Amino acid sequence: MVEKSPIWTKSFINISISTFFIFTVFYALLTYIPLHVMEDLNGTVTEGGLATSVFLVSAIIMRFAAGMILDKFGNKQVLVFSVLMFTFSTILYIFVGSLTMLLLLRFFHGIWFSLVTTVAGAIAADIIPPARRGEGMGYYAIAMNLAVVAGPFIALTMQPLAASQTIFIVFSVIMVIGFICVLFVQVEQFPKEAAVRRKLSISNFLETKSMPIASVGFLISFAYASIITFISVYAESLGLLQTASFFFVVYAVAMLLVRPFTGRIFDGKGPDYVIIPSMIIFALGLLLLSFTGSSWMLLLSGALIGLGYGTLLPSFQTLAIQAAEKHRSGYATGTFFAFYDSGIAIGAASLGVMAGFLGYSGLYMFLAVFILLTGIYYKWITSRTIDTGKG
């Protein structure tokens, strides 16, 4: 019997820990900045939302240049420098005392978030043995999923107990540890001839082979934007705001329980055996959410969404990387997240308008059908562009 190549190498562990800290700070700031704007900078709710939008805009713009930057400077160099700058940006929050400076910092910070998450995802994919990439990327995605719980928990726990400078110092310490971790990541360097010089074209910015599956990721993240943007507002309207604080805890636990199995099924039987059931479960979670009237229903919907959406993200990222040549994994990762981030941003902006017409219950019912239709689109896309068979 042939021994499996290991996933949990020193480099993989360090890149995963660093990614966890990066996303923890990202989600902590996402939760805390609007409160900071309103309570410490005398801003409005709209200005608090603007601080989030500015960050996402710079991140999306940077996605399109990320692959080219990795080609020019190398994965390890870009990893170390981008994490260093992300850490430096986090430290700067301690000294910002006006809304204008905060918005400029959020734009600056978004650049480095975009670059570091692109290069870290590409490096993680390269470190993982190709035959176990579905399983390995599933484990890597745990770092991001756990941060969804850890970041807001830290921010909301500290917010009533500490001054803003103290909270930003804690975020900075977390990132210093994350920076130390990336120094121990060993990265394979591709030969120079692998990066072919071309005239300026779309391939300088995006991986065209990854775009079809990235478009599916866009539709999934568009629907998921309704969860991260409106779940607390919807829960409050139902009188379930206290329960909502446990929504993502249940989400994370459900996701963690299935992650060791889904990755192996992905590698052993093929992506369809994971993606199609996950889309159905995600749709069921959204449907249950539309009928929610009690705490147990809200938490059960969180579990279903964790099982469904929590499995889809690493699956699509893996397919996007597998669609490209190995030396273009950075382009593939950047392309996938450019589409993914755009889905979140457009969803957050447009679904609020839709909720005004349909109500939140009607919105989640609509999105349940939307996800099932996305599943049909996925099958059409993969039948035309990529092999979703075994291995």
Side-chain angles (χ1 to χ4, degrees), residues 60-102:
I60 292 168
I61 292 171
M62 192 62 186
R63 294 287 187 200
F64 294 101
M68 193 162 49
I69 291 171
L70 300 191
D71 250 4
K72 185 172 180 62
F73 297 103
N75 285 3
K76 179 60 182 284
Q77 290 85 346
V78 174
L79 176 68
V80 172
F81 184 71
S82 59
V83 176
L84 177 63
M85 294 305 293
F86 187 89
T87 304
F88 174 66
S89 301
T90 305
I91 294 170
L92 288 179
Y93 286 97
I94 300 168
F95 308 102
V96 169
S98 71
L99 180 61
T100 301
M101 291 304 296
L102 179 66

Side-chain angles (χ1 to χ4, degrees), residues 33-48 97-99 102:
I33 286 295
L35 297 172
H36 176 58
V37 168
M38 290 182 284
E39 295 181 7
D40 300 316
L41 302 179
N42 299 314
T44 64
V45 175
T46 302
E47 289 168 336
S98 71
L99 180 61
L102 179 66

Side-chain angles (χ1 to χ4, degrees), residues 46 62 74 103 141 144 169 206 214 283 353:
T46 302
M62 192 62 186
L103 293 176
M144 293 179 278
I169 288 170
L206 295 171
V353 176

Side-chain angles (χ1 to χ4, degrees), residues 214-228 282 309 313 316 336-348 351 370-371 374:
S215 69
V216 185
F218 169 86
L219 297 175
I220 294 296
S221 67
F222 176 86
Y224 183 67
S226 68
I227 302 298
I228 58 176
F282 185 20
Y309 173 81
L313 176 58
F316 289 135
F336 175 78
F337 278 112
F339 278 72
Y340 175 84
D341 291 344
S342 298
I344 293 287
I346 294 171
L351 292 177
F370 179 83
I371 290 299
T374 300

Side-chain angles (χ1 to χ4, degrees), residues 252-265:
V253 170
M255 177 269 301
L256 285 171
L257 288 175
V258 300
R259 185 53 51 78
F261 311 106
T262 53
R264 290 170 191 163
I265 295 170

Side-chain angles (χ1 to χ4, degrees), residues 225-283:
S226 68
I227 302 298
I228 58 176
T229 307
F230 304 121
I231 191 65
S232 59
V233 180
Y234 181 46
E236 186 175 29
S237 72
L238 298 172
L240 300 173
L241 189 57
Q242 281 189 314
T243 306
S245 62
F246 294 97
F247 181 91
F248 287 107
V249 175
V250 174
Y251 166 104
V253 170
M255 177 269 301
L256 285 171
L257 288 175
V258 300
R259 185 53 51 78
F261 311 106
T262 53
R264 290 170 191 163
I265 295 170
F266 184 103
D267 292 325
K269 291 192 171 184
D272 281 0
Y273 286 85
V274 173
I275 290 173
I276 297 301
S278 295
M279 283 194 174
I280 294 171
I281 293 170
F282 185 20

Side-chain angles (χ1 to χ4, degrees), residues 143-371:
M144 293 179 278
N145 292 132
L146 289 179
V148 172
V149 179
F153 177 80
I154 293 170
L156 295 177
T157 300
M158 292 190 67
Q159 192 267 334
L161 303 175
S164 58
Q165 282 81 4
T166 304
I167 294 173
F168 290 133
I169 288 170
V170 171
F171 296 166
S172 300
V173 170
I174 291 171
M175 274 315 308
V176 168
I177 299 170
F179 174 69
I180 292 171
C181 287
V182 300
L183 299 177
F184 297 96
V185 176
Q186 294 182 336
V187 180
E188 178 183 357
Q189 297 295 328
F190 295 107
K192 289 291 181 183
E193 60 267 26
V196 180
R197 291 188 178 275
R198 303 175 181 86
K199 293 180 179 179
L200 193 64
S201 66
I202 192 172
S203 63
N204 293 119
F205 304 98
L206 295 171
E207 175 50 63
T208 54
K209 293 179 180 177
S210 301
M211 288 173 69
I213 201 66
S215 69
V216 185
F218 169 86
L219 297 175
I220 294 296
S221 67
F222 176 86
Y224 183 67
S226 68
I227 302 298
I228 58 176
T229 307
F230 304 121
I231 191 65
S232 59
V233 180
Y234 181 46
E236 186 175 29
S237 72
L238 298 172
L240 300 173
L241 189 57
Q242 281 189 314
T243 306
S245 62
F246 294 97
F247 181 91
F248 287 107
V249 175
V250 174
Y251 166 104
V253 170
M255 177 269 301
L256 285 171
L257 288 175
V258 300
R259 185 53 51 78
F261 311 106
T262 53
R264 290 170 191 163
I265 295 170
F266 184 103
D267 292 325
K269 291 192 171 184
D272 281 0
Y273 286 85
V274 173
I275 290 173
I276 297 301
S278 295
M279 283 194 174
I280 294 171
I281 293 170
F282 185 20
L284 287 173
L286 291 167
L287 184 63
L288 180 60
L289 200 55
S290 73
F291 290 110
T292 291
S294 62
S295 295
W296 73 265
M297 291 178 74
L298 183 64
L299 295 179
L300 179 57
S301 66
L304 291 173
I305 291 168
L307 292 173
Y309 173 81
T311 301
L312 290 173
L313 176 58
S315 297
F316 289 135
Q317 185 181 355
T318 301
L319 286 178
I321 292 169
Q322 287 180 339
E325 299 295 328
K326 188 172 182 180
H327 69 275
R328 286 184 62 86
S329 59
Y331 285 91
T333 305
T335 300
F336 175 78
F337 278 112
F339 278 72
Y340 175 84
D341 291 344
S342 298
I344 293 287
I346 294 171
S350 61
L351 292 177
V353 176
M354 193 176 294
F357 292 100
L358 300 176
Y360 291 111
S361 178
L363 175 67
Y364 288 121
M365 188 177 296
F366 164 79
L367 289 173
V369 177
F370 179 83
I371 290 299

